[in-house]
Amino acid sequence: MPEISKKYTGEGAGKCAVIDIDGDILGLNQFHTLNDFIDKEIKEGIKIFIFDLTNLKSINSSGLGILISSLKNVKKSGGSLKIINASEKILNIFKLTKLDNVFEFESTE
């Protein structure tokens, strides 16, 4: 089961929650953990979210649903969500599902 950890960068309106998702696969088991975290941070005033997938090996359809739900909640609150350091394998899954046009991606390596 993937580990989900968080850290913060910036201050004030520029404060950003960086969520590291590490493990073999992102799927349904992490829905409540990630959803609850996003909701709590939005209530605390966080508007900028970064999902760091450096150590995530794969993602299934449930995992994609979790990310879509997170993006929807963040955008509804007027915020933004970016995915960083996704492997080529994970990027290909986003391309096959046409979700590469929905999410913002960046590599920091």
Side-chain angles (χ1 to χ4, degrees):
M1 180 155 68
E3 290 290 321
I4 298 173
S5 60
K6 64 184 174 190
K7 59 187 173 199
Y8 300 96
T9 62
E11 297 177 4
K15 187 174 181 182
C16 173
V18 180
I19 303 158
D20 293 316
I21 304 173
D22 302 340
D24 290 333
I25 190 163
L26 177 63
L28 191 57
N29 292 338
Q30 294 76 40
F31 176 75
H32 292 294
T33 303
L34 201 51
N35 196 41
D36 292 347
F37 172 75
I38 296 289
D39 288 344
K40 179 182 174 280
E41 296 302 314
I42 288 172
K43 288 176 185 168
E44 298 275 330
I46 300 290
K47 297 282 186 192
I48 305 167
F49 293 85
I50 297 175
F51 286 1
D52 187 344
L53 306 185
T54 300
N55 297 311
L56 183 67
K57 292 180 179 71
S58 189
I59 187 169
N60 63 25
S61 60
S62 296
L64 290 173
I66 291 167
L67 295 180
I68 291 167
S69 176
S70 296
L71 178 63
K72 180 181 167 188
N73 289 341
V74 168
K75 285 195 170 198
K76 188 169 72 173
S77 74
S80 65
L81 186 150
K82 182 186 301 184
I83 296 173
I84 63 170
N85 299 324
S87 69
E88 198 62 38
K89 178 181 176 180
I90 290 176
L91 286 174
N92 283 335
I93 292 169
F94 278 94
K95 289 175 186 172
L96 285 170
T97 57
K98 306 286 188 218
L99 291 172
D100 59 325
N101 296 319
V102 175
F103 288 93
E104 182 180 347
F105 294 91
E106 185 177 308
S107 177
T108 61
E109 297 180 341

